[in-house]
Amino acid sequence: DAGVTQSPTHLIKTRGQQVTLRCSPKSGHDTVSWYQQALGQGPQFIFQYYEEEERQRGNFPDRFSGHQFPNYSSELNVNALLLGDSALYLCASSARITGTDYGYTFGSGTRLTVV
Amino acid sequence: RKEVEQDPGPFNVPEGATVAFNCTYSNSASQSFFWYRQDCRKEPKLLMSVYSSGNEDGRFTAQLNRASQYISLLIRDSKLSDSATYLCVVNKGDSSYKLIFGSGTRLLVRP
């Protein structure tokens, strides 16, 4: 049973560039949430996708956008990268029917460094 | 006020010690509560859910006090392998599907 897979694992980008991160949810899960985790902080909610639509959004600027595909996989896009965007980006999957009852399953993350 | 607050630690304890972590949350409508464990530079992993009646999993015991909006995690007989950051996690409540994470409490277990 495949867990949550994310790619790439590491990425280095220059300020002003754009980046796309990818996530495949755990088998049986249809909901994908994205989190940003800065060093020494807890994960911060970016947004959540279900049925190919953004269902909820955290306090992140419009530079952060996403997409969910019919197979439930998802992408996170960040435009006009800033140094402050350097962080671990975590994808978490869950099943809509259970909501948050059983928590989320996380992928191993993409570590983004903006220079 | 942060939605989920934790003492960042670090808690530095000897092997075999008992250690307790606390967490407070601000939204009284929250319905789901968890403790996650995160090793250095790894993803968070679910340690246990927290129920109103309290629950135990081996050396780990979690308690929830809804009236005080307070969650605790007790680790007995600490092992070196328990060294990690422990994240308190709460759902947003109000029919939200969003989980909110505390900043974590770091535990160091020494020989």
CSV table of all heavy atoms in Angstrom, one decimal, chain A residues 20-57:
chain,number,residue,atom,x,y,z
A,20,THR,N,7.1,24.1,-9.1
A,20,THR,CA,5.9,23.2,-9.0
A,20,THR,C,6.3,22.0,-8.2
A,20,THR,O,7.3,21.4,-8.5
A,20,THR,CB,5.4,22.8,-10.4
A,20,THR,OG1,5.0,24.0,-11.1
A,20,THR,CG2,4.3,21.8,-10.3
A,21,LEU,N,5.5,21.7,-7.2
A,21,LEU,CA,5.8,20.5,-6.3
A,21,LEU,C,4.6,19.6,-6.6
A,21,LEU,O,3.5,20.0,-6.8
A,21,LEU,CB,5.8,20.9,-4.9
A,21,LEU,CG,6.8,22.1,-4.5
A,21,LEU,CD1,6.8,22.3,-3.0
A,21,LEU,CD2,8.2,21.8,-5.0
A,22,ARG,N,4.9,18.3,-6.5
A,22,ARG,CA,3.9,17.3,-6.8
A,22,ARG,C,3.7,16.3,-5.7
A,22,ARG,O,4.6,16.0,-4.9
A,22,ARG,CB,4.3,16.5,-8.1
A,22,ARG,CG,4.4,17.4,-9.3
A,22,ARG,CD,4.8,16.7,-10.5
A,22,ARG,NE,4.8,17.6,-11.7
A,22,ARG,CZ,5.7,18.5,-12.0
A,22,ARG,NH1,6.8,18.6,-11.2
A,22,ARG,NH2,5.5,19.3,-13.1
A,23,CYS,N,2.4,15.8,-5.6
A,23,CYS,CA,2.0,14.9,-4.5
A,23,CYS,C,1.0,13.8,-5.1
A,23,CYS,O,0.1,14.2,-5.8
A,23,CYS,CB,1.4,15.7,-3.4
A,23,CYS,SG,0.6,14.7,-2.1
A,24,SER,N,1.3,12.6,-4.7
A,24,SER,CA,0.3,11.5,-4.9
A,24,SER,C,-0.2,11.1,-3.6
A,24,SER,O,0.6,10.6,-2.7
A,24,SER,CB,0.9,10.4,-5.7
A,24,SER,OG,1.2,10.8,-7.0
A,25,PRO,N,-1.5,11.1,-3.3
A,25,PRO,CA,-2.0,10.7,-2.0
A,25,PRO,C,-2.0,9.2,-1.8
A,25,PRO,O,-1.8,8.4,-2.7
A,25,PRO,CB,-3.5,11.2,-2.0
A,25,PRO,CG,-3.9,11.2,-3.5
A,25,PRO,CD,-2.6,11.5,-4.2
A,26,LYS,N,-2.2,8.9,-0.5
A,26,LYS,CA,-2.2,7.5,-0.2
A,26,LYS,C,-3.4,6.8,-0.8
A,26,LYS,O,-4.5,7.4,-1.1
A,26,LYS,CB,-2.4,7.4,1.4
A,26,LYS,CG,-2.4,6.0,1.9
A,26,LYS,CD,-2.6,6.0,3.5
A,26,LYS,CE,-2.7,4.6,4.0
A,26,LYS,NZ,-2.8,4.6,5.5
A,27,SER,N,-3.3,5.5,-1.2
A,27,SER,CA,-4.3,4.8,-1.8
A,27,SER,C,-5.6,4.8,-0.9
A,27,SER,O,-5.5,4.6,0.3
A,27,SER,CB,-3.9,3.3,-2.0
A,27,SER,OG,-4.9,2.6,-2.6
A,28,GLY,N,-6.7,5.2,-1.6
A,28,GLY,CA,-8.0,5.3,-0.8
A,28,GLY,C,-8.3,6.7,-0.3
A,28,GLY,O,-9.4,6.9,0.2
A,29,HIS,N,-7.3,7.6,-0.4
A,29,HIS,CA,-7.5,9.0,0.0
A,29,HIS,C,-7.9,9.8,-1.2
A,29,HIS,O,-7.3,9.7,-2.3
A,29,HIS,CB,-6.3,9.5,0.7
A,29,HIS,CG,-6.1,9.0,2.1
A,29,HIS,ND1,-5.0,9.3,2.9
A,29,HIS,CD2,-6.8,8.1,2.8
A,29,HIS,CE1,-5.1,8.7,4.1
A,29,HIS,NE2,-6.2,7.9,4.0
A,30,ASP,N,-8.8,10.8,-1.0
A,30,ASP,CA,-9.2,11.6,-2.1
A,30,ASP,C,-9.0,13.1,-1.8
A,30,ASP,O,-9.3,14.0,-2.6
A,30,ASP,CB,-10.7,11.4,-2.4
A,30,ASP,CG,-11.6,11.6,-1.2
A,30,ASP,OD1,-11.1,12.1,-0.1
A,30,ASP,OD2,-12.8,11.1,-1.2
A,31,THR,N,-8.5,13.4,-0.6
A,31,THR,CA,-8.3,14.8,-0.2
A,31,THR,C,-6.8,15.1,0.0
A,31,THR,O,-6.1,14.3,0.7
A,31,THR,CB,-9.1,15.1,1.1
A,31,THR,OG1,-10.5,14.8,0.8
A,31,THR,CG2,-8.9,16.5,1.5
A,32,VAL,N,-6.3,16.2,-0.5
A,32,VAL,CA,-4.9,16.6,-0.3
A,32,VAL,C,-4.8,17.9,0.3
A,32,VAL,O,-5.4,18.9,-0.1
A,32,VAL,CB,-4.2,16.6,-1.7
A,32,VAL,CG1,-2.8,17.1,-1.6
A,32,VAL,CG2,-4.2,15.2,-2.3
A,33,SER,N,-4.0,18.0,1.3
A,33,SER,CA,-3.7,19.3,2.0
A,33,SER,C,-2.2,19.6,1.8
A,33,SER,O,-1.4,18.7,1.9
A,33,SER,CB,-4.0,19.2,3.5
A,33,SER,OG,-5.4,18.9,3.7
A,34,TRP,N,-1.9,20.9,1.7
A,34,TRP,CA,-0.5,21.3,1.6
A,34,TRP,C,-0.1,22.1,2.8
A,34,TRP,O,-0.9,23.0,3.2
A,34,TRP,CB,-0.3,22.1,0.3
A,34,TRP,CG,-0.3,21.3,-0.9
A,34,TRP,CD1,-1.3,21.0,-1.8
A,34,TRP,CD2,0.9,20.6,-1.5
A,34,TRP,NE1,-0.9,20.2,-2.8
A,34,TRP,CE2,0.4,20.0,-2.7
A,34,TRP,CE3,2.2,20.5,-1.2
A,34,TRP,CZ2,1.3,19.2,-3.5
A,34,TRP,CZ3,3.1,19.8,-2.0
A,34,TRP,CH2,2.6,19.1,-3.1
A,35,TYR,N,1.1,21.9,3.3
A,35,TYR,CA,1.6,22.6,4.5
A,35,TYR,C,3.0,23.1,4.2
A,35,TYR,O,3.7,22.5,3.5
A,35,TYR,CB,1.6,21.7,5.7
A,35,TYR,CG,0.3,21.5,6.4
A,35,TYR,CD1,-0.6,20.5,5.9
A,35,TYR,CD2,-0.1,22.2,7.5
A,35,TYR,CE1,-1.8,20.3,6.5
A,35,TYR,CE2,-1.3,22.0,8.1
A,35,TYR,CZ,-2.2,21.0,7.6
A,35,TYR,OH,-3.4,20.8,8.2
A,36,GLN,N,3.3,24.3,4.8
A,36,GLN,CA,4.6,24.8,4.7
A,36,GLN,C,5.2,24.7,6.1
A,36,GLN,O,4.6,25.2,7.1
A,36,GLN,CB,4.6,26.3,4.3
A,36,GLN,CG,6.0,26.9,4.2
A,36,GLN,CD,5.9,28.5,4.1
A,36,GLN,OE1,5.5,29.1,5.0
A,36,GLN,NE2,6.3,29.0,3.0
A,37,GLN,N,6.4,24.2,6.3
A,37,GLN,CA,7.1,24.1,7.6
A,37,GLN,C,8.4,24.8,7.5
A,37,GLN,O,9.4,24.3,6.9
A,37,GLN,CB,7.2,22.7,8.1
A,37,GLN,CG,7.7,22.6,9.5
A,37,GLN,CD,7.7,21.2,10.1
A,37,GLN,OE1,7.8,20.2,9.3
A,37,GLN,NE2,7.7,21.1,11.4
A,38,ALA,N,8.5,26.0,8.1
A,38,ALA,CA,9.8,26.7,8.3
A,38,ALA,C,10.6,26.1,9.4
A,38,ALA,O,10.0,25.4,10.3
A,38,ALA,CB,9.5,28.2,8.5
A,39,LEU,N,11.9,26.3,9.4
A,39,LEU,CA,12.7,25.7,10.4
A,39,LEU,C,12.3,26.1,11.8
A,39,LEU,O,12.1,27.3,12.1
A,39,LEU,CB,14.2,26.1,10.1
A,39,LEU,CG,15.3,25.3,10.7
A,39,LEU,CD1,15.2,23.8,10.1
A,39,LEU,CD2,16.6,25.9,10.4
A,40,GLY,N,12.1,25.1,12.7
A,40,GLY,CA,11.8,25.4,14.0
A,40,GLY,C,10.3,25.7,14.3
A,40,GLY,O,10.0,26.0,15.4
A,41,GLN,N,9.5,25.6,13.3
A,41,GLN,CA,8.1,25.9,13.4
A,41,GLN,C,7.3,24.7,13.1
A,41,GLN,O,7.7,23.7,12.5
A,41,GLN,CB,7.7,27.0,12.4
A,41,GLN,CG,8.4,28.3,12.6
A,41,GLN,CD,8.1,28.9,14.0
A,41,GLN,OE1,7.0,29.0,14.4
A,41,GLN,NE2,9.2,29.4,14.7
A,42,GLY,N,6.0,24.7,13.5
A,42,GLY,CA,5.1,23.7,13.1
A,42,GLY,C,4.6,23.9,11.7
A,42,GLY,O,4.7,25.0,11.2
A,43,PRO,N,4.0,22.9,11.1
A,43,PRO,CA,3.5,23.0,9.7
A,43,PRO,C,2.4,24.1,9.7
A,43,PRO,O,1.5,24.1,10.6
A,43,PRO,CB,3.0,21.6,9.4
A,43,PRO,CG,3.8,20.7,10.3
A,43,PRO,CD,4.0,21.5,11.5
A,44,GLN,N,2.4,24.9,8.7
A,44,GLN,CA,1.3,25.9,8.5
A,44,GLN,C,0.5,25.5,7.3
A,44,GLN,O,1.0,25.2,6.2
A,44,GLN,CB,2.0,27.3,8.2
A,44,GLN,CG,2.8,27.8,9.4
A,44,GLN,CD,2.0,28.0,10.6
A,44,GLN,OE1,1.0,28.7,10.6
A,44,GLN,NE2,2.4,27.5,11.8
A,45,PHE,N,-0.8,25.6,7.4
A,45,PHE,CA,-1.8,25.1,6.4
A,45,PHE,C,-1.7,26.1,5.2
A,45,PHE,O,-2.0,27.3,5.4
A,45,PHE,CB,-3.2,25.1,7.0
A,45,PHE,CG,-4.3,24.7,6.1
A,45,PHE,CD1,-4.5,23.3,5.8
A,45,PHE,CD2,-5.1,25.6,5.6
A,45,PHE,CE1,-5.5,23.0,4.9
A,45,PHE,CE2,-6.1,25.3,4.7
A,45,PHE,CZ,-6.3,23.9,4.4
A,46,ILE,N,-1.6,25.6,4.0
A,46,ILE,CA,-1.6,26.5,2.8
A,46,ILE,C,-3.0,26.4,2.2
A,46,ILE,O,-3.7,27.4,2.1
A,46,ILE,CB,-0.5,26.0,1.8
A,46,ILE,CG1,0.9,26.1,2.4
A,46,ILE,CG2,-0.6,26.9,0.6
A,46,ILE,CD1,2.0,25.6,1.5
A,47,PHE,N,-3.4,25.2,1.8
A,47,PHE,CA,-4.7,24.9,1.3
A,47,PHE,C,-5.0,23.5,1.2
A,47,PHE,O,-4.1,22.6,1.4
A,47,PHE,CB,-5.0,25.6,-0.1
A,47,PHE,CG,-3.9,25.5,-1.1
A,47,PHE,CD1,-3.3,24.3,-1.4
A,47,PHE,CD2,-3.4,26.7,-1.7
A,47,PHE,CE1,-2.3,24.3,-2.4
A,47,PHE,CE2,-2.4,26.6,-2.7
A,47,PHE,CZ,-1.8,25.4,-3.0
A,48,GLN,N,-6.3,23.2,0.9
A,48,GLN,CA,-6.7,21.8,0.8
A,48,GLN,C,-7.5,21.6,-0.5
A,48,GLN,O,-8.3,22.5,-0.9
A,48,GLN,CB,-7.6,21.4,2.0
A,48,GLN,CG,-8.0,20.0,2.0
A,48,GLN,CD,-8.9,19.6,3.2
A,48,GLN,OE1,-10.1,19.7,3.1
A,48,GLN,NE2,-8.2,19.2,4.2
A,49,TYR,N,-7.4,20.5,-1.2
A,49,TYR,CA,-8.1,20.2,-2.4
A,49,TYR,C,-8.9,18.9,-2.3
A,49,TYR,O,-8.5,17.9,-1.7
A,49,TYR,CB,-7.1,20.0,-3.6
A,49,TYR,CG,-6.7,21.3,-4.2
A,49,TYR,CD1,-5.7,22.1,-3.6
A,49,TYR,CD2,-7.4,21.9,-5.3
A,49,TYR,CE1,-5.3,23.3,-4.1
A,49,TYR,CE2,-7.1,23.1,-5.8
A,49,TYR,CZ,-6.0,23.8,-5.2
A,49,TYR,OH,-5.7,25.0,-5.7
A,50,TYR,N,-10.1,19.1,-2.8
A,50,TYR,CA,-11.0,17.9,-2.8
A,50,TYR,C,-11.9,18.1,-4.1
A,50,TYR,O,-12.3,19.2,-4.4
A,50,TYR,CB,-11.9,17.8,-1.6
A,50,TYR,CG,-13.0,16.8,-1.7
A,50,TYR,CD1,-12.7,15.5,-1.7
A,50,TYR,CD2,-14.3,17.2,-1.8
A,50,TYR,CE1,-13.7,14.5,-1.9
A,50,TYR,CE2,-15.4,16.3,-1.9
A,50,TYR,CZ,-15.1,15.0,-2.0
A,50,TYR,OH,-16.1,14.0,-2.1
A,51,GLU,N,-12.1,17.0,-4.8
A,51,GLU,CA,-12.9,17.0,-6.0
A,51,GLU,C,-12.4,18.1,-7.0
A,51,GLU,O,-13.1,18.8,-7.6
A,51,GLU,CB,-14.4,17.2,-5.7
A,51,GLU,CG,-15.0,16.0,-5.1
A,51,GLU,CD,-16.5,16.1,-5.0
A,51,GLU,OE1,-17.1,17.2,-5.0
A,51,GLU,OE2,-17.2,15.0,-4.9
A,52,GLU,N,-11.1,18.2,-7.1
A,52,GLU,CA,-10.4,19.0,-8.0
A,52,GLU,C,-10.6,20.5,-7.7
A,52,GLU,O,-10.3,21.4,-8.6
A,52,GLU,CB,-10.7,18.7,-9.5
A,52,GLU,CG,-10.5,17.3,-9.8
A,52,GLU,CD,-10.9,16.9,-11.2
A,52,GLU,OE1,-10.5,17.7,-12.2
A,52,GLU,OE2,-11.5,15.9,-11.4
A,53,GLU,N,-11.1,20.8,-6.5
A,53,GLU,CA,-11.3,22.2,-6.2
A,53,GLU,C,-10.6,22.6,-4.9
A,53,GLU,O,-10.5,21.7,-4.0
A,53,GLU,CB,-12.8,22.5,-6.1
A,53,GLU,CG,-13.5,22.5,-7.4
A,53,GLU,CD,-14.9,23.0,-7.4
A,53,GLU,OE1,-15.4,23.4,-6.3
A,53,GLU,OE2,-15.6,23.1,-8.4
A,54,GLU,N,-10.2,23.8,-4.7
A,54,GLU,CA,-9.7,24.3,-3.5
A,54,GLU,C,-10.8,24.5,-2.5
A,54,GLU,O,-11.7,25.3,-2.7
A,54,GLU,CB,-9.0,25.6,-3.7
A,54,GLU,CG,-8.3,26.2,-2.4
A,54,GLU,CD,-7.6,27.5,-2.7
A,54,GLU,OE1,-6.7,27.6,-3.4
A,54,GLU,OE2,-8.1,28.5,-2.1
A,55,ARG,N,-10.8,23.7,-1.4
A,55,ARG,CA,-11.9,23.7,-0.5
A,55,ARG,C,-11.6,24.7,0.7
A,55,ARG,O,-12.6,25.3,1.2
A,55,ARG,CB,-12.1,22.3,0.1
A,55,ARG,CG,-13.2,22.2,1.1
A,55,ARG,CD,-13.7,20.8,1.2
A,55,ARG,NE,-12.8,19.9,1.8
A,55,ARG,CZ,-13.0,18.6,2.0
A,55,ARG,NH1,-14.2,18.1,1.7
A,55,ARG,NH2,-12.1,17.8,2.6
A,56,GLN,N,-10.4,24.8,1.1
A,56,GLN,CA,-10.0,25.7,2.2
A,56,GLN,C,-8.7,26.3,1.9
A,56,GLN,O,-7.8,25.6,1.2
A,56,GLN,CB,-10.0,25.0,3.5
A,56,GLN,CG,-11.4,24.7,4.1
A,56,GLN,CD,-11.3,24.3,5.6
A,56,GLN,OE1,-10.7,23.2,5.8
A,56,GLN,NE2,-11.8,25.0,6.5
A,57,ARG,N,-8.4,27.5,2.4
A,57,ARG,CA,-7.2,28.1,2.2
A,57,ARG,C,-6.7,28.8,3.5
A,57,ARG,O,-7.5,29.3,4.3
A,57,ARG,CB,-7.3,29.2,1.1
A,57,ARG,CG,-6.0,29.8,0.7
A,57,ARG,CD,-6.1,30.8,-0.4
A,57,ARG,NE,-4.8,31.3,-0.9
A,57,ARG,CZ,-4.1,30.7,-1.9
A,57,ARG,NH1,-4.6,29.7,-2.5
A,57,ARG,NH2,-2.9,31.2,-2.2
